[in-house]
Amino acid sequence: MDDRLQNAPVGVLEVLPDGTLTDINEVAQSLIGSTADAIGTSLAEVFPRSVEDSLLIAIEGDAVTETSFEEYYPDLERWLDVSIAATDEGVTVYLQDVTEQRRYEQSIEQLRIERKRTAIIENVFSEILAELVGATSREEIAETISRSLGGTDIYEFAWVGEREIGSDDLVIHAVGGETGETFAAVRDVLDTETATTLEERAIESGRLQSAQPLAETAHVPESVRTAGFADGVQSALAIPLVFGSNVHGVVGVYAAGTEAFSDREQTSFETLGEVAGFAVTAARNRNLLLSDTVAELTFDVGDSSVLSRLSQSLASTLVLEGLVPHGDEALLCFVSVEDLDIQVLEDAATQIEGIDEARSIRESVSGGTVGLTVQGSSPLLAVSSLGGTVRRAHFESGSGQIAVELPPDGDVRRIADTLSREFDLEFVAKEERERSVTTAREYREELTDSLTERQQTVLRTAYLADYFESPRGSTAEEVAASLDITGSTLLYHLRAGQRKLLEAYLDEHTRPSENRRG
């Protein structure tokens, strides 16, 4: 090899027609991890192998194939650009390391793919969220999610399930896409209860569960992994439909790639699960609001309730005057008591685990009302999240009773079973009542639509805290503190809400009387 090739900035190997290496420069030695001692040995013994082995194929036989190509060499963990040129003496092979260039190109391509994928996902999610806003039932919500996700090229299929009434079994509500054998395997596991599916884990934990790659995730049932391998399904995601502390159901999404769900995508799915959970709750609340009949369920409450324990410590009867959900696992409860000094009630409340704060709202000679901040999961909070309304509740000597108002549909049994299973409640009675359609009801519906959720919370809290009484039972600062907001923010929401109330009231009372219903 002449000096020009020896000092060239690329790797150079000279090979005889029979494949014997006759020379190699220092750059080539560095690139393939060889030394000058390799001269005189077969090129096949010196040069690392690739999947295609294009170099050895090109020089084997009587005729040399002049060519160039780029291949990945696993032993070297690098990409090489290889050029083969025939000479009078044999073959000259030129090498260049193109690993960084390849990685750069792969990064650009990956970003391009991810950008395209993100755009598709965002469009799908936007369509789903838009449809969820107007959904009126759990079935419609399930169909929307499964159809939209399963109908894309990104995912193989998606399904939505809920717990079966009266048990912990997970039942399928809707499925969309090419399910193949994988979904059949998931369904069989649910039916036979031989193992725990990814979706069941998501419902139990209330947290998103992923399996990437599916075949190597031990806690996925073996039959599902086997079916997924046969179908080419290599990733799965289970998204719980949550609202507050309640898990309404789960979405299972299956895809072909081994890393199909990026961190960003999983975050988007978590948001979808929260919005869908809210939509389920809203649909249930809407059914209660619009129903002409209501079902009233009565439950006995055991001593696990914080208000039961408080009544026991006081040996008095506590009556729930109203409540306002505050965050995912907190309630502002307004409780009245008779024949007891209000300061005694405040002091006792602060000693009960689960009650963070107690504040006097109204005081009389024989008792009064206090506002209690109750932390943690409770039946009162669960009722609201499940689409019901606490109509009345009282607690006495370590036990209590609550009456819950629900729309008279399939949710009644489900909610009764959920409350009894998850809390220390015993179902006592059910009564269905006719609800008259009145102008007052229509008036409430209009107000609910016009007020934001925050305005409703602020107005209700201020009202129950006697902020509007004279003299006031609570100052603006006290009401704001109970909601963890500033006084100026409270006043802003109060003014905005009051303005809407007045607008609705004046509009209602300026309508012609013949357009009203009694």
Side-chain angles (χ1 to χ4, degrees):
M1 184 182 300
D2 60 34
D3 291 341
R4 181 174 58 86
L5 293 179
Q6 283 288 358
N7 298 318
V10 299
V12 182
L13 302 90
E14 292 185 343
V15 185
L16 294 175
D18 64 0
T20 302
L21 179 66
T22 59
D23 212 344
I24 179 172
N25 71 356
E26 290 184 0
V27 175
Q29 293 175 35
S30 175
L31 289 176
I32 66 174
S34 184
T35 65
D37 294 339
I39 296 173
T41 61
S42 170
L43 181 64
E45 298 177 11
V46 176
F47 208 88
R49 308 298 295 269
S50 67
V51 174
E52 294 84 2
D53 266 345
S54 299
L55 174 59
L56 299 181
I57 293 173
I59 65 174
E60 68 181 359
D62 297 333
V64 174
T65 303
E66 291 193 342
T67 184
S68 63
F69 52 84
E70 291 182 1
E71 283 184 356
Y72 182 72
Y73 293 85
D75 291 343
L76 303 177
E77 295 185 351
R78 63 176 48 155
W79 285 84
L80 294 179
D81 181 293
V82 181
S83 296
I84 303 170
T87 65
D88 294 339
E89 293 79 17
V91 178
T92 301
V93 180
Y94 301 95
L95 305 177
Q96 280 186 287
D97 187 345
V98 293
T99 304
E100 289 304 317
Q101 179 181 344
R102 275 284 187 161
R103 287 175 178 167
Y104 174 76
E105 291 172 353
Q106 288 175 341
S107 297
I108 295 298
E109 178 64 15
Q110 184 64 31
L111 288 174
R112 187 190 66 79
I113 293 172
E114 288 183 3
R115 184 175 181 179
K116 180 180 178 181
R117 181 185 180 91
T118 299
I120 294 174
I121 292 170
E122 288 178 351
N123 287 337
V124 171
F125 279 19
S126 295
E127 292 173 2
I128 292 175
L129 298 180
E131 291 193 39
L132 289 183
V133 171
T136 59
S137 67
R138 299 192 319 276
E139 291 74 16
E140 185 178 348
I141 292 168
E143 287 289 346
T144 295
I145 294 174
S146 60
R147 182 188 68 252
S148 299
L149 294 177
T152 70
D153 294 333
I154 297 176
Y155 311 117
E156 297 299 309
F157 68 90
W159 70 279
V160 180
E162 284 189 10
R163 286 205 184 280
E164 189 175 19
I165 295 175
S167 75
D168 291 331
D169 295 340
L170 186 60
V171 295
I172 299 161
H173 270 224
V175 60
E178 299 294 330
T179 57
E181 294 300 320
T182 308
F183 180 66
V186 172
R187 186 178 57 231
D188 289 344
V189 173
L190 294 176
D191 291 341
T192 59
E193 299 182 1
T194 55
T196 303
T197 64
L198 204 65
E199 290 79 7
E200 289 173 306
R201 290 178 179 273
I203 280 192
E204 290 167 3
S205 65
R207 304 177 72 87
L208 184 144
Q209 302 289 314
S210 66
Q212 301 186 107
L214 183 67
E216 298 178 13
T217 305
H219 58 257
V220 173
E222 184 177 358
S223 59
V224 176
R225 284 182 280 151
T226 302
F229 182 80
D231 287 342
V233 174
Q234 303 181 74
S235 293
L237 203 64
I239 309 100
L241 307 183
V242 297
F243 181 74
S245 59
N246 294 289
V247 181
H248 293 306
V250 65
V251 179
V253 186
Y254 291 74
T258 55
E259 295 290 337
F261 305 103
S262 65
D263 291 342
R264 179 177 178 179
E265 203 166 330
Q266 291 186 43
T267 300
S268 296
F269 270 111
E270 286 179 339
T271 301
L272 175 64
E274 292 169 0
V275 173
F278 173 80
V280 172
T281 301
R284 289 170 170 169
N285 288 334
R286 187 183 298 112
N287 289 342
L288 175 60
L289 181 66
L290 300 179
S291 178
D292 291 333
T293 60
V294 293
E296 184 176 294
L297 307 185
T298 303
F299 296 90
D300 282 339
V301 185
D303 58 9
S304 64
S305 165
V306 293
L307 295 182
S308 293
R309 296 201 303 272
L310 179 58
S311 71
Q312 187 173 35
S313 70
L314 294 170
S316 296
T317 299
L318 304 177
V319 177
L320 183 68
E321 301 292 346
L323 55 86
V324 181
H326 183 42
D328 288 344
E329 290 195 355
L331 277 175
L332 295 179
C333 295
F334 296 87
V335 177
S336 65
V337 65
E338 297 289 339
D339 301 323
L340 184 69
D341 185 87
I342 204 69
Q343 187 60 50
V344 175
L345 173 55
E346 284 189 68
D347 293 341
T350 58
Q351 303 301 313
I352 301 296
E353 183 179 357
I355 299 179
D356 281 1
E357 184 182 359
R359 183 172 60 83
S360 174
I361 302 298
R362 185 187 312 116
E363 187 172 359
S364 65
V365 176
S366 60
T369 302
V370 296
L372 306 176
T373 301
V374 179
Q375 293 286 350
S377 180
S378 69
L380 298 177
L381 181 61
V383 167
S384 176
S385 297
L386 290 168
T389 300
V390 178
R391 183 174 177 83
R392 59 184 179 275
H394 68 273
F395 304 86
E396 182 178 6
S397 302
S399 62
Q401 191 171 86
I402 63 174
V404 178
E405 197 174 75
L406 301 167
D409 57 16
D411 276 343
V412 172
R413 182 180 170 190
R414 179 185 299 277
I415 294 174
D417 289 338
T418 299
L419 292 173
S420 299
R421 183 177 66 247
E422 297 185 6
F423 301 97
D424 185 18
L425 301 183
E426 182 180 349
F427 175 73
V428 176
K430 172 188 173 184
E431 177 186 0
E432 289 197 6
R433 295 185 288 103
E434 291 290 331
R435 175 191 277 172
S436 61
V437 181
T438 64
T439 301
R441 177 188 164 200
E442 295 171 353
Y443 181 59
R444 280 175 173 267
E445 292 172 14
E446 292 178 5
L447 293 180
T448 300
D449 289 337
S450 65
L451 293 171
T452 67
E453 183 177 353
R454 193 58 164 166
Q455 289 165 0
Q456 293 180 52
T457 298
V458 168
L459 285 169
R460 182 172 177 78
T461 303
Y463 175 79
L464 292 171
D466 280 359
Y467 174 77
F468 299 106
E469 294 293 326
S470 180
R472 287 175 172 168
S474 303
T475 66
E477 289 73 19
E478 289 172 332
V479 177
S482 69
L483 291 169
D484 290 335
I485 58 177
T486 64
S488 60
T489 301
L490 174 81
L491 293 175
Y492 171 82
H493 288 301
L494 280 176
R495 291 192 184 105
Q498 287 172 317
R499 184 180 67 252
K500 290 180 180 179
L501 289 174
L502 288 171
E503 287 174 351
Y505 176 82
L506 293 174
D507 179 66
E508 170 67 21
H509 285 267
T510 54
R511 295 175 186 173
S513 59
E514 61 267 25
N515 291 337
R516 304 179 195 165
R517 288 193 291 175

